[in-house]
Structure formats: C-alpha cells, structure tokens
Amino acid sequence: MPNNQRRLPLAKPLFQRPSSQDPRRAIGDSGEAKAAAYLKTSVGLKIVETNWECSLGEIDIIARDSHDTIVIVEVKTVTSDEDFGWEAIGPKKRQRLVRLAHCYLKANKLPLETSVRFDAVIVNATTQEVTHEESAFWADDGL
C-alpha cells in the first residue's frame, strides 16, 4: 500500500452475540430453553426456531400458534425479584424486533402480509418462574 493511502478500519458487525465465556450468556440460554419448553407445553405453541440470527440481530424464539400466526418471542431472564425484564423491551428493542421479523419473513420467502405476533417471556432464574405476555406489543404501536 502506498504511503499516501490510509487503511480504513474494519466495520463492526451490527450484531454480535456474547461469547460463550460470558456467564450472562449461560443464564440467558438457560432462560430461553425454559421459555421454549413453557411455550410448547403450557401455551401450545409450535417452536419453529430458536436463536435465529441475521445481520440485524437475533430472535430468541420463533413459533407458530394454532392459527398459523408467526410468534416472535423476546425472552428476558432475570436473576432477582428486583429485576424488571419488561422494562428491557423498550421502543428501540421493539423496533429491532419488527425489523428482524421482516428479515425472517423475507429469508423464509413468506409473504410480508403473514400474520405476526410479538410475545414476551420473563424467566426468573432464581425461582424458575415463567411469565408469558401474549401480544406484548404490536408492530404499529407508534414504532
């Protein structure tokens, strides 16, 4: 490379999952597995995929309900009763989940008119309690 040219820094990926050495990842993975089992056995959803990734990020759980609606599930695992998992699913996270849902539909050649629902699940890692919020938000809730 000639002296008058500068090297451009490599772009950071838009999404990077925590390393397998990160203890938060192990807690999160455990919570996601507990949530998937709960949604399958107690709610009756068919789990289609877990930890689906694209360049925009990751969808924790993708499921289908009995009406063939795609259910995008955000899972938050908390470690104490003082943790408020719902608060972590703010407007920016919701916007990202909507974009991820579109990415998933396109990647799987599904019509963009496909019915999609956004649920949330909070798993308390200490008590193992699972709280499911069906239709936690809508794609057009002021996003």
Side-chain angles (χ1 to χ4, degrees):
M1 176 185 297
N3 289 340
N4 61 349
Q5 289 184 353
R6 293 183 8 207
R7 247 180 232 245
L8 295 174
L10 295 175
K12 290 182 181 177
L14 291 175
F15 167 74
Q16 193 167 18
R17 192 158 195 209
S19 94
S20 59
Q21 306 300 320
D22 188 338
R24 292 173 300 167
R25 180 170 172 189
I27 292 169
D29 288 349
S30 171
E32 289 172 11
K34 180 108 175 137
Y38 175 86
L39 292 170
K40 183 178 178 182
T41 59
S42 298
V43 180
L45 296 180
K46 178 184 178 209
I47 305 302
V48 176
E49 296 199 46
T50 59
N51 301 315
W52 183 85
E53 294 181 15
C54 73
S55 63
L56 298 176
E58 176 186 81
I59 299 173
D60 295 331
I61 299 172
I62 301 169
R64 283 194 182 260
D65 70 8
S66 60
H67 304 290
D68 216 26
T69 298
I70 299 283
V71 183
I72 305 296
V73 183
E74 176 66 11
V75 179
K76 292 295 174 194
T77 305
V78 297
T79 54
S80 73
D81 291 332
E82 287 80 41
D83 289 338
F84 300 105
W86 302 120
E87 292 174 357
I89 309 173
K92 287 187 179 193
K93 181 65 174 180
R94 292 174 186 185
Q95 288 174 344
R96 175 175 275 176
L97 287 168
V98 170
R99 288 193 302 270
L100 283 164
H102 283 147
C103 188
Y104 176 80
L105 293 175
K106 286 181 180 180
N108 288 279
K109 297 178 175 50
L110 296 169
L112 292 179
E113 300 80 33
T114 300
S115 181
V116 177
R117 185 177 89 209
F118 296 89
D119 288 10
V121 174
I122 306 298
V123 178
N124 185 312
T126 306
T127 65
Q128 298 300 303
E129 180 182 0
V130 177
T131 307
H132 173 229
E133 177 78 19
E134 185 175 315
S135 299
F137 71 93
W138 299 95
D140 57 358
D141 278 350
L143 302 176

